[in-house]
Amino acid sequence: MSTPEILVRDLHKSFGANEVLRGIDLEVRRGEVVCVIGPSGSGKSTLLRCVNLLEEPSRGQVLVGGTELTDPDVDIDAARRRIGMVFQQFNLFPHLTVTENLTLPQRRVLKRDRASAARIAAENLQRVGLAEKADAYPAALSGGQQQRVAIARALAMGPEVMLFDEPTSALDPELVGDVLAVMRMLADEGMTMMVVTHEMTFAREVADRVVFMDGGVVVEDGTPEQVIGDPGHERTRHFLSRLLDPAMAEMEQESPDRADR
């Protein structure tokens, strides 16, 4: 069997006395889409940020494409070039046009010349359906369009792996669909993807595997049919029932005896 594109072994992460990740083991194969779900505070985003060392693990190993990012001697900048990341917030430079937002990191990090960077920017704007916005500034775009620009910016760097940290959570509901459509396209193209999300329909239809985290550990890991359709753990069932029934979640938040931990 081929080496996993992402390999996490016994990953721990603490912030002071707060142990957020408590021994995570996870593999993502090349071309696989893995959605990570779970309640707020379960460690999902911290796990994702540890995969490209935006957060330094307290203990454990992270390998991407066979390179150990947690090796003290690793060239972390070179290793990160294989990893694209899309955050909840778009992090676009407001004083630069869409094209300039895409070309700047190519020229600074990959040392591409201006013409090559512009050509690759145009190709990736076309991929996300925003070719006509090349000369626009971020303020003139909707939140969904800005997020698609952020995805195009990551793709322009030629990553082998894409990490998405709640990419639709800051968007109005009517803008979510276009962003998810771009992510579906990437999945269809065979991009290796690790996605932290609350979009259960996307996870059910697009993911090869779903990982449910709670309390800093992996509680369940399986196909969408297994984890979402027929969860084997009570913690998973409780989370999904609250997610799919907001009224129940509100009642629990109002009750001091049922406070979320």
Side-chain angles (χ1 to χ4, degrees):
M1 186 175 290
S2 62
T3 302
E5 195 69 18
I6 300 172
L7 179 61
V8 176
R9 292 175 175 159
D10 192 31
L11 188 68
H12 293 252
K13 175 62 182 178
S14 296
F15 296 96
N18 182 22
E19 191 175 19
V20 178
L21 300 179
R22 299 189 291 129
I24 301 292
D25 292 296
L26 183 66
E27 295 184 2
V28 181
R29 298 279 168 183
R30 178 168 296 184
E32 194 172 32
V33 178
V34 174
C35 285
V36 183
I37 65 172
S40 297
S42 61
K44 309 181 302 295
S45 293
T46 301
L47 169 61
L48 209 65
R49 293 173 67 87
C50 283
V51 168
N52 67 353
L53 251 61
L54 288 177
E55 295 287 356
E56 185 173 351
S58 304
R59 189 167 86 242
Q61 291 180 300
V62 176
L63 292 88
V64 177
T67 299
E68 184 183 348
L69 274 65
T70 43
D71 183 337
D73 297 325
V74 72
D75 183 344
I76 190 60
D77 291 331
R80 280 198 184 118
R81 289 171 195 161
R82 309 175 67 173
I83 307 169
M85 187 154 184
V86 178
F87 300 89
Q88 298 178 31
Q89 302 300 325
F90 324 124
N91 300 321
L92 301 177
F93 291 111
H95 63 289
L96 299 181
T97 67
V98 165
T99 293
E100 289 167 342
N101 267 281
L102 268 66
T103 56
L104 181 63
Q106 295 183 64
R107 296 171 61 200
R108 291 274 179 88
V109 177
L110 302 180
K111 308 304 180 185
R112 287 175 180 156
D113 61 73
R114 188 182 299 271
S116 296
R119 174 180 55 79
I120 292 168
E123 290 172 355
N124 283 286
L125 287 175
Q126 182 72 40
R127 288 175 78 187
V128 302
L130 290 174
E132 76 284 0
K133 300 295 185 180
D135 297 324
Y137 287 88
L141 305 179
S142 70
Q145 289 172 331
Q146 290 186 60
Q147 190 62 294
R148 286 151 64 195
V149 170
I151 294 173
R153 178 181 57 189
L155 294 174
M157 303 296 285
E160 298 171 19
V161 170
M162 286 286 288
L163 309 178
F164 294 87
D165 186 8
E166 298 276 14
T168 61
S169 66
L171 302 179
D172 292 333
E174 65 269 21
L175 303 177
V176 168
D178 289 342
V179 174
L180 294 181
V182 170
M183 295 170 65
R184 289 171 189 265
M185 174 199 72
L186 294 178
D188 290 342
E189 292 177 356
M191 176 65 74
T192 305
M193 297 164 59
M194 192 169 167
V195 184
V196 171
T197 185
H198 280 103
E199 300 288 345
M200 290 301 105
T201 300
F202 177 85
R204 187 189 292 271
E205 296 178 357
V206 179
D208 297 293
R209 286 180 22 242
V210 174
V211 172
F212 172 67
M213 288 182 62
D214 193 14
V217 300
V218 172
V219 178
E220 293 199 46
D221 180 349
T223 66
E225 292 78 12
Q226 292 169 332
V227 177
I228 299 176
D230 187 22
H233 201 289
E234 176 57 33
R235 288 158 79 184
T236 315
R237 290 193 291 271
H238 182 64
F239 167 75
L240 290 170
S241 67
R242 294 180 74 239
L243 189 65
L244 299 174
D245 187 356
M248 175 183 171
E250 289 181 8
M251 289 175 61
E252 290 186 354
Q253 289 175 353
E254 292 171 1
S255 172
D257 297 328
R258 300 285 295 278
D260 200 12
R261 290 177 294 176

